[in-house]
Amino acid sequence: VERSNENSQSHCKEILTAAICVSHHQTTGLSPGQYSSTIETVDAGWCKDITDQGATQIAQSSKSLRYLGLMRCDKVNEETVERLVVQYPHIVFSTVMQDCKRTLERAYQMGWSPNTSNTS
């Protein structure tokens, strides 16, 4: 998503969403980038080469970042994601585990409780 405050012939002023595929060697382009201060959403899902270092660098790259999709980024350890969740509480990190935790938390908030009886 691109947004400009000028007419349609002007250059892009800010980028809000980026769908990217990066590895730990390629994320440096995002950090000092012209748009890193406006990026709110980065989806790096299914990027098999992204590592813990790459995910960390993306999280650090933009103070405006609110969502980092890491679904099936298999080289990013869940322990790293847990650390990032604590370090960057304003960012929603999307992994299978994190999404399951959020879903379960919402279910608890809505009054769901696990069925502990063995009625078979």
Side-chain angles (χ1 to χ4, degrees):
V1 173
E2 298 174 3
R3 182 171 38 179
S4 174
N5 295 332
E6 299 176 11
N7 65 37
S8 61
Q9 294 180 355
S10 69
H11 297 290
C12 175
K13 294 297 178 193
E14 55 187 1
I15 293 178
L16 301 176
T17 302
I20 60 171
C21 194
V22 295
S23 70
H24 66 285
H25 299 294
Q26 298 169 321
T27 56
T28 55
L30 182 64
S31 181
Q34 172 180 358
Y35 302 109
S36 66
S37 65
T38 61
I39 291 177
E40 296 174 359
T41 301
V42 173
D43 190 349
W46 292 88
C47 295
K48 300 289 186 182
D49 291 330
I50 191 168
T51 64
D52 293 336
Q53 180 183 2
T56 300
Q57 189 169 0
I58 293 170
Q60 294 170 341
S61 70
S62 175
K63 292 188 187 306
S64 61
L65 189 64
R66 297 294 174 254
Y67 174 88
L68 177 53
L70 296 169
M71 195 67 69
R72 290 309 315 256
C73 294
D74 297 339
K75 292 183 181 177
V76 178
N77 295 315
E78 194 59 35
E79 295 81 20
T80 298
V81 176
E82 290 289 344
R83 181 180 48 79
L84 292 172
V85 166
V86 172
Q87 277 186 298
Y88 303 97
H90 62 282
I91 301 174
V92 173
F93 293 89
S94 179
T95 65
V96 171
M97 185 64 72
Q98 293 301 312
D99 290 358
C100 287
K101 285 180 179 182
R102 279 189 295 277
T103 300
L104 188 57
E105 182 59 35
R106 281 193 301 267
Y108 283 135
Q109 289 172 355
M110 295 173 67
W112 178 84
S113 63
N115 184 355
T116 57
S117 66
N118 291 331
T119 56
S120 313

